[in-house]
């Protein structure tokens, strides 16, 4: 059947060639007529007669080409109908093959005789067309019940998963990678790493798989790994109000961030079976503050994750102690990943395609995000959108299976569970094999199945639908990522490239091009380069194929960055989170701290009244407050007091001091009972200032803040430039820097929102800096 399709393509091409020959004869006819006219004018009648005969001959030849073009076009249409009904006999196929050969020589007499033979053999084609219509109608009737059952079985888990996200824990939405990236950048994202978020995430991923949605579980595993790591590092559970009294040393923001980095890497290691890839992913896409110790700790966490997963998989498959099982996503083993230097330009072109389609994906998803913000703003609308996407996915899959009729003999099996789905006995439906399995299995089929398993039209339709379903699905309220859908989409069009190369070079392994297409597509969407290269190398088990992956991924990133930002950066920007980039904004050296800082600053004196502290904390939501001391120098300052900076105290510290009533007084002096452990007990959820109960007499007392403040906070002069402040902020992982003037007086304070509001936009080779507004939450 695949050979007939090739012959059919050649026949359609021959129609165009016949039309071109007809036009060529018409031009030659006009030329001969012109020569005839000139010969008559010169009185050379013999030459005029010869040119006239040539003109008549060219006219006749042109008409013959046109008539033959029409006949061949009609034959091609009838062959297409016969292929659709699968009623092409071997003798008919032989005639079409002979016609294909005759077309290459443009022998009109031989073509004409073959046309007569063809038409004799296809006298019953009209009957067959009627039979095809009846068969399609019967097949459609037979698919109604399976369609309704599949629709119901997909809608129920999708409804459960979306309701959990919308009504129980919205932070479990999507892959969670953008939120984890913000957390590792130093942003406090509420409810990101809570146990409830983990439970909803796990159930949501299961609902996505059961509901047939186009979402991968690999992205959510990164989020889940981060939650597990953050929870283990604290040695307690605020959800169950249980404190084990262990690991108190790690109850700090920067320690928790390090654990979350390791958890994200462990999630990648478990998903792809790639511990080194997980480490590099955490470095490339996640952690903002990296050091040598964190490198080996993260790698150790990835190693433990791999060991645990292999142990569980070995026991699950009935072979306890067998540690040779792959990760949750198994690409399968490539028998031959050899390539030639002539393949490099093809890989570069595939990288360009991946970058262009990835940039288009990000731009269209940006429009969808804005549309959802404006119109899908009610909880019931969010759930309804998930159900509509789910129903559309099921409907598209059934329509493609119904109208493609890509049936293959059993033996070319792309899946362990064959689906007949309208095919004859002893056959399976190739399109159904692509749709009715997990996306990981679909990717594996596109990588490893032989060229004759899927028709070209099957792969084309599947690839187009995969692209737009991934585009629409990513961003709805469900727990699913873009990693595997992106790989699946790229594997589809990469297989088409492989089939094109296979047509000219039959010894080509099309799985190579499918793998490069998958890498290019995902690289164009996420702009991952180093980590994705190593992940795919580890997942395929072939280090020799690292160079083509590097080439296509770097090309996809360069092309994609020329048009848009990555999908993760786009989501972060639209969410209004103050993410700090790796480098300060260009051309910002003329912006100084006094232009950047927030002022006036809310400050406390070294000895402050409880009433003023409570009032300030209730009025403002700031996290840090400079501590000052008024000093009066009558000789130099004409009697005006100066407020010199003495330190910095955090909001959480003030809450703890108020809760423990560490006040100056004969009955409330608990200085000796306050230790570092006191401040770590309530971390990370400190009480609200509204929940603290104080007596009226307590408000009149004072607190000596000099005992608990940080006496040496990071400070900058008001004349320091933005790039220098940015680098200090980024390198040290700070949340605020106090700005002082030449006299060491507090002039202002710089927070990450002050720095992150200067956003660098790169588009179409142009760079601009704009000022953004930020929200206090992430959706």
């Amino acid at each position: 059947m695949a050979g007939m399709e090739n012959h059919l393509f050649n026949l359609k091409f021959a129609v165009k060639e016949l039309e071109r020959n007809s036009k060529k004869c018409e031009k030659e006819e006009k030329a001969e007529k012109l020569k005839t006219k000139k010969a008559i004018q010169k009185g050379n009648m013999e030459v005029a007669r010869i040119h006239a005969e040539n003109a008549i001959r060219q006219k006749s030849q042109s008409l013959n080409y046109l008539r033959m073009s029409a006949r061949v076009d009609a034959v091609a249409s009838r062959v297409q109908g016969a292929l659709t009904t699968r009623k092409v006999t071997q003798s008919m196929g032989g005639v079409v093959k002979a016609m294909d050969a005759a077309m290459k020589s443009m022998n009109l007499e031989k073509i004409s005789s073959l046309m007569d033979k063809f038409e004799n053999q296809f006298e019953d084609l009209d009957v067959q067309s009627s039979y095809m219509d009846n068969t399609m109608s019967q097949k459609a009737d037979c698919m109604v019940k399976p369609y309704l059952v599949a629709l119901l079985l997909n809608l129920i888990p999708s409804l459960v998963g979306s309701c959990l996200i919308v009504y129980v824990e919205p932070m479990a939405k999507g892959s969670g990678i953008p939120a984890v990236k913000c957390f590792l950048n130093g942003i406090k994202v509420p409810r990101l790493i809570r146990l409830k978020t983990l439970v909803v995430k796990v159930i949501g991923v299961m609902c996505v798989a059961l509901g047939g949605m186009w979402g991968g579980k690999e992205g959510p595993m990164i989020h889940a790994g981060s939650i597990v790591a953050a929870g283990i590092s604290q040695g307690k559970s605020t959800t169950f109000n249980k404190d084990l009294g262990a690991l108190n040393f790690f109850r700090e923001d920067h320690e928790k961030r390090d654990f979350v980095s390791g958890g994200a890497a462990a999630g990648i290691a478990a998903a792809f079976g790639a511990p080194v890839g997980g480490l590099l992913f955490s470095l490339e896409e996640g952690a903002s503050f990296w050091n040598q110790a964190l490198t080996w700790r993260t790698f150790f966490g990835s190693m433990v994750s791999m060991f645990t997963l292999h142990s569980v998989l070995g026991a699950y498959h009935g072979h306890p102690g067998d540690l040779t099982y792959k990760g949750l996503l198994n690409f399968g083993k490539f028998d031959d990943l050899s390539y030639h230097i002539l393949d490099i330009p093809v890989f570069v072109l595939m990288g360009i395609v991946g970058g262009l389609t990835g940039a288009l994906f990000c731009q269209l998803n940006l429009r969808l995000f804005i549309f959802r913000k404006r119109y899908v703003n009610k909880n019931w609308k969010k759930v309804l959108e998930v159900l509509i996407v789910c129903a559309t996915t099921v409907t598209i899959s059934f329509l493609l299976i119904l109208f493609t009729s890509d049936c293959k003999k059993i033996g070319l099996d792309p899946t362990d569970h064959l689906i007949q789905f309208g095919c004859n006995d002893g056959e399976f439906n190739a399109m159904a094999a692509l749709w009715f399995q997990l996306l990981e299995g679909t990717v594996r089929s596109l990588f490893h199945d032989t060229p004759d398993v899927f028709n070209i039209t099957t792969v084309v339709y599947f690839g187009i639908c995969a692209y737009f379903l991934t585009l629409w699905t990513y961003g709805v309220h469900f727990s699913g990522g873009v990693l595997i859908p992106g790989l699946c989409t790229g594997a589809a069009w990469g297989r088409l490239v492989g089939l094109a190369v296979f047509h000219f070079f039959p010894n080509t392994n099309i799985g190579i091009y499918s793998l490069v297409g998958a890498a290019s597509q995902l690289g164009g969407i996420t702009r991952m380069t180093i980590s994705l290269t190593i992940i795919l190398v580890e997942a395929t088990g072939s280090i020799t194929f690292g160079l083509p992956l590097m080439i296509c991924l770097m090309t996809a990133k360069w092309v994609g960055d020329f048009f848009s930002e990555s999908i993760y950066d786009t989501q972060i920007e639209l969410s209004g989170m103050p993410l700090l980039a790796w480098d300060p904004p260009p051309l910002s050296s003329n912006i100084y701290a006094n232009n950047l800082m927030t002022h006036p600053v809310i400050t406390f004196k070294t000895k402050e009244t409880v009433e003023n502290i409570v009032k300030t904390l209730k009025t403002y939501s700031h996290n840090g407050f400079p501590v000052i001391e008024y000093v009066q120098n009558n000789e130099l300052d004409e009697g005006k007091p100066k407020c010199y900076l003495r330190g910095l105290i955090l909001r959480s510290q003030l809450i703890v001091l108020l809760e423990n009533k560490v006040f100056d007084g004969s009955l409330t002096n608990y200085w000796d009972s306050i230790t570092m452990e006191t401040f770590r007990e309530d971390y990370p959820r400190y009480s609200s200032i509204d929940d603290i109960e104080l007596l009226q007499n307590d408000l009149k007392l004072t607190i000596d803040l000099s005992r608990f403040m940080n006496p040496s906070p990071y400070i900058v002069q008001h004349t320091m430039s933005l790039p220098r402040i940015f680098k200090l902020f980024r390198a040290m992982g700070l949340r605020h820097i106090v700005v002082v003037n030449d006299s060491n007086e507090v002039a202002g304070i710089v927070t990450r929102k002050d720095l992150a509001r200067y956003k660098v936009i790169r588009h179409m080779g142009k760079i601009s800096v704009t000022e953004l507004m930020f929200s206090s939450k992430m959706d």
Side-chain angles (χ1 to χ4, degrees), residues 617 651-659 686-689 692:
L617 294 181
R651 183 185 191 89
S652 59
Q653 292 176 291
L654 294 173
I655 293 291
V656 172
L657 294 177
L658 292 175
E659 276 188 318
Y686 295 98
S687 301
S688 171
I689 184 61
I692 298 177

Side-chain angles (χ1 to χ4, degrees), residues 668-683:
T668 58
N669 197 339
Y670 299 108
W671 303 111
D672 296 336
S673 62
I674 300 298
T675 63
M676 183 62 69
E677 299 301 325
T678 307
F679 293 96
R680 289 175 174 169
E681 284 178 1
D682 294 336
Y683 179 85

Side-chain angles (χ1 to χ4, degrees), residues 452-472:
D452 52 348
V453 172
F454 304 109
N455 291 341
I456 294 178
T457 53
T458 299
V459 182
V460 170
Y461 293 150
F462 177 81
I464 295 174
C465 292
Y467 183 86
F468 287 103
L469 282 177
T470 303
L471 171 65
W472 187 16

